[in-house]
Amino acid sequence: TGMVARGKSPAPLRATSGKSSRGRTPAKKSARMSPRSKSPPATRSKSTGRRANSPAPAAAARGGLAAREARRADREEIESLVLWKRPLDTLYHFGIVFVAFLASPVHAAMDRKNILVVGPIVMAMMALFIARLVEGPHLAPLQRLEHQFWYSMWWFGLGVASSVGLGTGAHTGTLFLFPHICAVVRTAENHKELDFDPTHNMFKIPPTLAESFQKLPASAGPFTVPTFWNLFFELLFPVIVWGVGTALGELPPYLVAYSHAKAGEQDEDYEELMAEAKKHKKQGQVDYSIMGMVSLMSDWMIDFLQNNGFWGVLLFSSYPNALFDMCGMCCGHAMMPMWKFLIAVSIGKGFIKAPMQGGLFVWVFSHGGKDTLIEFAKSVLNFFTPLPAMSKCGTVGMGAECTPGGIVLAVAALILTLHIRKMPKMMLMPLVLGVISVGFFGLSVASMLQDKMKLVEKMDQGLDKVLAFCESGGEQKVVETSLLAKMMSYLSPKALFGYFVVSLVLFFVFDTINKLAQGHAKEMQQYKKAKSQ
């Protein structure tokens, strides 16, 4: 009665009166302690589950280890497929790829679906070939057209060779394009006019330099005065064609990643790249070593590309970018349309970066540009004197007598770097400011050494040697015919430059053979694995 008065009914009392002090009902307790069961049901099921599943993690670990060992062995076998280790196997795989490359246009031409495109092209080529064999007034413009075609293909092919091969290109800008710009500029300034054809010293390895161009007849005048803009536009065509060729050379990493993504396969290179990026994000710390800076830059590039697409590709292709292969891999893995990727890279490399480089070298290789560059270098070193000097800032401009000091600027940039790196979403700015700080410090050291080592004067002498080297081409008259003179001619700067160019071209050829052979061998490995499964 007292319990009812406190608001509790008898039924709950009967239901709860049988509970033990631990809150279990007698029925549940008796079920747990039944003599028919050697252990509690829940405990037995758990222990049984452990006994049944206990070998699984060990077996999975052994299977994963075996798979990793197999992948490592396959990778080592592919990497050993090079000419200096396994020449016969390398040439065998390369031969298959090369024959397939030659056969693919033949198969495409013989396909009935392409007859409307291939037929007119074949007929036009036959007509041009026959026209070249017939004498007449049409022969001169036809030969000029043919020459311009091969001239364009030469620079386009050099552009492709410069960027193809996943970072192991032939660097044809340094070896061919920039010496050609120097030769044209020096020849024009020496002649005081553009009275020569700069397209007739091509197709040579190493490239010929100034005074080897074909001089135009006087009847072709009046000739253009070699101002900066006249020289720039004279050289703009090969510069753009070379730049577009470098854009086409960026397709291999894109196509490899795209094919893996389309087939649903795992791209090991891309997965390794993304794993490194995730690892750096989790750590949340910045490694200021050289490799750490490279990793930081690559992580920022990946994030920027994922957020900006076409415009990100255009930006990264508009300046000299040694990490651009990662851009192609990311775009291929994201399955960006090839025309979109190729247009962005062509605009960035062919119409922005290459013309800017061409204009810079036209300016530097001219005597006026060289003199301006030397004066600018002197002004920079005067401004970056180590200690501040502010006493005459009211009467003179910025310079040696009005400067905050290079060391002061370097320390300020370093302090700002250390402050910004703690702020969120500031992944790239510490890198940029760190590079600026190091640059300021280096300029301060150079300013201190200027009086003793004459750095600017040595720079001026070096540029004079480069310009003289560009003017050393053409047919040279043999003055000395002694054996010693002939032997020394093989050690001249021009001869050494030729050896350097030839060695790099041979390295590029060997590397291309190795890469194509390794790619085919990897495809054969994957085909055998798929067939065995």
Side-chain angles (χ1 to χ4, degrees):
T1 307
M3 289 184 181
V4 173
R6 284 193 293 267
K8 295 184 180 180
S9 62
L13 283 173
R14 286 193 299 270
T16 59
S17 61
K19 286 186 178 182
S20 66
S21 61
R22 293 186 181 181
R24 297 193 183 100
T25 61
K28 291 182 179 179
K29 185 175 182 181
S30 62
R32 285 180 174 273
M33 303 306 295
S34 173
R36 295 181 182 179
S37 60
K38 297 179 180 180
S39 61
T43 306
R44 187 175 67 250
S45 63
K46 289 181 181 180
S47 62
T48 306
R50 281 198 299 268
R51 292 192 199 102
N53 297 331
S54 59
R62 288 194 298 269
L65 180 61
R68 286 194 297 270
E69 289 294 329
R71 286 196 298 268
R72 184 178 62 81
D74 291 342
R75 191 184 309 113
E76 289 178 353
E77 182 181 0
I78 294 297
E79 291 175 353
S80 66
L81 195 65
V82 291
L83 285 171
W84 47 88
K85 290 183 179 180
R86 298 163 56 189
L88 296 180
D89 292 340
T90 305
L91 292 176
Y92 167 75
H93 288 284
F94 171 75
I96 294 176
V97 175
F98 187 68
V99 171
F101 173 76
L102 295 179
S104 58
V106 178
H107 293 160
M110 297 177 64
D111 191 350
R112 293 182 179 180
K113 298 179 182 179
N114 301 328
I115 191 65
L116 294 178
V117 178
V118 176
I121 294 177
V122 173
M123 294 177 64
M125 292 178 64
M126 292 179 62
L128 290 174
F129 178 74
I130 295 173
R132 287 187 77 255
L133 302 177
V134 179
E135 294 290 340
H138 67 283
L139 194 58
L142 189 61
Q143 290 175 346
R144 182 65 182 176
L145 179 64
E146 180 184 0
H147 174 76
Q148 289 295 335
F149 171 79
W150 291 115
Y151 177 72
S152 304
M153 289 298 101
W154 170 256
W155 288 116
F156 183 79
L158 289 176
V160 173
S162 179
S163 57
V164 76
L166 295 174
T168 57
H171 308 290
T172 54
T174 305
L175 301 178
F176 290 90
L177 181 63
F178 303 149
H180 174 69
I181 294 175
C182 182
V184 172
V185 172
R186 300 307 318 128
T187 304
E189 289 199 347
N190 290 336
H191 291 191
K192 307 300 182 184
E193 55 187 0
L194 288 167
D195 59 346
F196 58 94
D197 187 351
T199 67
H200 279 273
N201 71 331
M202 300 297 100
F203 323 124
K204 293 181 180 179
I205 301 175
T208 54
L209 300 174
E211 300 300 336
S212 58
F213 301 113
Q214 180 176 343
K215 190 173 179 63
L216 297 175
S219 58
F223 300 111
T224 307
V225 179
T227 62
F228 169 80
W229 289 110
N230 290 338
L231 290 170
F232 175 76
F233 287 113
E234 180 71 24
L235 293 161
L236 186 61
F237 177 75
V239 167
I240 290 178
V241 172
W242 177 83
V244 174
T246 62
L248 188 65
E250 300 292 351
L251 279 179
Y254 165 85
L255 293 176
V256 170
Y258 186 92
S259 61
H260 282 291
K262 187 175 182 180
E265 300 173 350
Q266 183 179 8
D267 187 353
E268 296 180 0
D269 294 333
Y270 180 79
E271 294 299 332
E272 182 180 354
L273 187 67
M274 296 305 297
E276 287 292 330
K278 291 180 181 178
K279 179 180 177 182
H280 295 155
K281 286 183 179 179
K282 287 182 179 179
Q283 291 176 348
Q285 296 179 352
V286 180
D287 182 7
Y288 287 96
S289 64
I290 295 177
M291 295 306 300
M293 292 297 177
V294 172
S295 300
L296 182 65
M297 185 66 183
S298 63
D299 297 344
W300 179 79
M301 282 181 59
I302 293 170
D303 290 340
F304 193 87
L305 284 171
Q306 291 175 346
N307 295 326
N308 295 277
F310 176 89
W311 298 107
V313 178
L314 179 62
L315 173 65
F316 290 137
S317 61
S318 299
Y319 65 92
N321 188 352
L323 304 176
F324 193 79
D325 284 339
M326 291 186 298
C327 178
M329 292 172 59
C330 294
C331 293
H333 192 269
M335 298 188 71
M336 176 185 285
M338 187 175 71
W339 64 267
K340 191 175 182 180
F341 174 78
L342 193 58
I343 289 177
V345 180
S346 298
I347 294 174
K349 286 182 173 290
F351 293 90
I352 299 177
K353 187 192 79 170
M356 290 174 61
Q357 289 176 317
L360 174 64
F361 283 105
V362 167
W363 177 69
V364 170
F365 291 144
S366 63
H367 278 303
K370 188 213 72 167
D371 296 338
T372 305
L373 180 64
I374 294 300
E375 292 299 324
F376 177 75
K378 291 180 180 179
S379 301
V380 169
L381 292 184
N382 289 334
F383 178 77
F384 281 96
T385 53
L387 301 178
M390 312 291 289
S391 58
K392 297 185 179 180
C393 287
T395 58
V396 298
M398 301 297 289
E401 298 179 347
C402 181
T403 174
I407 299 296
V408 175
L409 292 174
V411 172
L414 181 60
I415 294 174
L416 189 60
T417 301
L418 298 176
H419 175 71
I420 288 181
R421 73 170 184 170
K422 300 178 181 179
M423 301 173 62
K425 297 182 179 180
M426 284 290 182
M427 185 169 59
L428 188 64
M429 284 304 297
L431 172 63
V432 176
L433 289 174
V435 172
I436 292 175
S437 176
V438 173
F440 286 168
F441 182 77
L443 289 173
S444 299
V445 174
S447 179
M448 287 190 297
L449 298 177
Q450 166 61 21
D451 293 335
K452 294 183 178 180
M453 300 183 64
K454 305 296 182 183
L455 298 179
V456 176
E457 287 73 10
K458 290 183 178 180
M459 178 181 173
D460 189 11
Q461 295 173 4
L463 288 175
D464 286 336
K465 291 180 180 179
V466 170
L467 299 183
F469 177 72
C470 292
E471 298 171 358
S472 64
E475 297 295 332
Q476 303 291 335
K477 294 183 179 181
V478 179
V479 179
E480 299 181 73
T481 57
S482 64
L483 179 61
L484 180 61
K486 290 182 179 180
M487 292 179 61
M488 292 302 296
S489 66
Y490 291 107
L491 299 176
S492 64
K494 183 180 178 181
L496 294 176
F497 176 70
Y499 304 149
F500 176 69
V501 172
V502 171
S503 63
L504 287 183
V505 170
L506 290 177
F507 171 78
F508 170 71
V509 172
F510 291 158
D511 186 73
T512 302
I513 293 174
N514 293 335
K515 290 291 177 60
L516 292 176
Q518 290 174 359
H520 181 261
K522 188 174 182 179
E523 291 178 359
M524 294 299 296
Q525 275 187 355
Q526 295 173 350
Y527 173 75
K528 290 179 180 179
K529 289 181 181 179
K531 190 175 180 180
S532 62
Q533 293 175 356

